Amino acid sequence: MRTFLQFVALFILLSLLASTTLPSVYGTRYPRNIEPEFDSRVRPIHRNALIRRIPDAVFIGDSTLGDNVDFQQIHALLGIKTYDIVIYGSASALWYLIIKNNIAVSPITPDYLVLFFRETMLTTPDYRVTGQYFPIIEEFVGKNDDLLARYSYLDQMSWLEKLAERYFPLYGDRLNFRNSLEYRFNHTLPLLLLTCGEFCVSEARELVYAADLDMDQLMMEQFGAEHNLTREQDFFFNYRVSVPTCLR
C-alpha cells in the first residue's frame, strides 16, 4: 500500500510539473482545441486536371481501382473520356474531400462519378486518417470541413480522451514530448558519447534497419490495419450514414 501511495504521489508531482512546463515549452494554450489543426489551403490538382482534360467520367479509389481497372479498355468500349484519381492507401475521408473541394467546385461537370471501395469503407470515416495518411488528408481540407473533424476524428474519442486532450498537458502534448525524447536519444546522446552528428546517426540507422521485406509480416500488419473495416456497427448503412427520406 505504501508503494502504491508513493507511486500516486510521484505521478501527481510529475503531472503538476508537466502541466506548468510543457505548455510554455511547446507554446500550447490550455484548455486546448482538440480538433485536428489543418492549414485550410486546398490543393486544386484534380480541379485543374478536370479543366484540362474535360472528361466524361471520373473514377476515384485506392489500389483496388488502380490495379483492376483498364481505363483504355473503358474508353475503347464505351467511347467516353475518363479521369482516374487513384491514390494507394486512400479511403472515404480523402475521397469525400477531393469530391467536395476539387470536383464539386470545378467548372467542368463530368456525367459520371464512380467510387471504387471495399468492405465498409464508405461507413468508416475514421479509416486511414491519421499517421502517414494525415498529410495527404490535409492537402484537400477546406475552411468549412467540420464534418471531417467530427466524423473522422472527434467521434472516435471517448469523453475521457477529450477531457485529457483539452486539459491535461502531459496527454495533450504527448506527440511533441515523444518527438523531443526521440530526438535527444537519436542525436544528442550519440553526439556526446560518440561525436556522431545527425548525418552520422541517420546513416547508422539506415544501415541497422535495412533488411529484406518480410512479406508475411507485412500481410499480418495489413490485416491488423484493416480490422476497422469489419466492425459490426459499420455494416448498418442507415445507422452510419444519414440517408434522405426520399431515397429510403
Side-chain angles (χ1 to χ4, degrees), residues 235-246:
F235 285 94
F236 296 95
F237 191 84
N238 287 350
Y239 171 76
R240 296 291 287 174
V241 178
S242 297
V243 181
T245 304
C246 60

Side-chain angles (χ1 to χ4, degrees), residues 56-248:
D56 300 303
V58 175
F59 290 74
I60 303 180
D62 61 355
S63 57
T64 305
L65 172 63
D67 295 341
N68 296 281
V69 177
D70 188 336
F71 296 101
Q72 293 182 351
Q73 188 75 354
I74 289 178
H75 175 69
L77 293 175
L78 302 180
I80 62 175
K81 293 174 61 178
T82 63
Y83 174 60
D84 58 283
I85 304 175
V86 178
I87 305 175
Y88 283 68
S90 60
S92 58
L94 181 57
W95 305 337
Y96 161 77
L97 292 175
I98 292 175
I99 293 171
K100 176 179 178 290
N101 297 326
N102 264 224
I103 297 176
V105 298
S106 173
I108 303 300
T109 55
D111 295 326
Y112 306 99
L113 174 65
V114 183
L115 279 176
F116 270 67
F117 62 95
R118 297 175 290 114
E119 303 290 349
T120 58
M121 273 190 172
L122 292 187
T123 52
T124 49
D126 57 320
Y127 183 58
R128 291 179 172 173
V129 295
T130 58
Q132 62 180 328
Y133 303 106
F134 185 85
I136 191 171
I137 289 284
E138 189 177 26
E139 290 184 356
F140 296 98
V141 174
K143 294 181 179 179
N144 300 314
D145 281 318
D146 298 332
L147 285 179
L148 175 81
R150 175 185 170 187
Y151 288 113
S152 297
Y153 298 94
L154 297 183
D155 281 2
Q156 315 310 322
M157 302 170 62
S158 67
W159 68 269
L160 186 59
E161 288 176 303
K162 293 178 181 179
L163 188 67
E165 190 83 43
R166 186 179 295 275
Y167 297 104
F168 191 34
L170 194 59
Y171 185 84
D173 276 312
R174 62 193 181 281
L175 294 180
N176 292 327
F177 187 54
R178 187 189 68 183
N179 291 336
S180 298
L181 287 178
E182 288 181 352
Y183 182 85
R184 297 303 178 191
F185 279 114
N186 292 337
H187 299 290
T188 305
L189 192 59
L191 182 62
L192 293 175
L193 299 179
L194 306 171
T195 65
C196 183
E198 291 191 24
F199 179 75
C200 170
V201 170
S202 298
E203 279 198 328
R205 286 170 60 87
E206 289 181 5
L207 180 63
V208 169
Y209 292 109
D212 293 333
L213 183 63
D214 187 340
M215 292 303 300
D216 292 336
Q217 182 65 25
L218 179 63
M219 292 300 293
M220 289 181 62
E221 292 181 1
Q222 182 73 8
F223 177 79
E226 295 194 354
H227 175 70
N228 284 351
L229 296 180
T230 58
R231 295 178 303 190
E232 181 179 355
Q233 67 269 24
D234 296 327
F235 285 94
F236 296 95
F237 191 84
N238 287 350
Y239 171 76
R240 296 291 287 174
V241 178
S242 297
V243 181
T245 304
C246 60
L247 297 180
R248 291 180 181 173

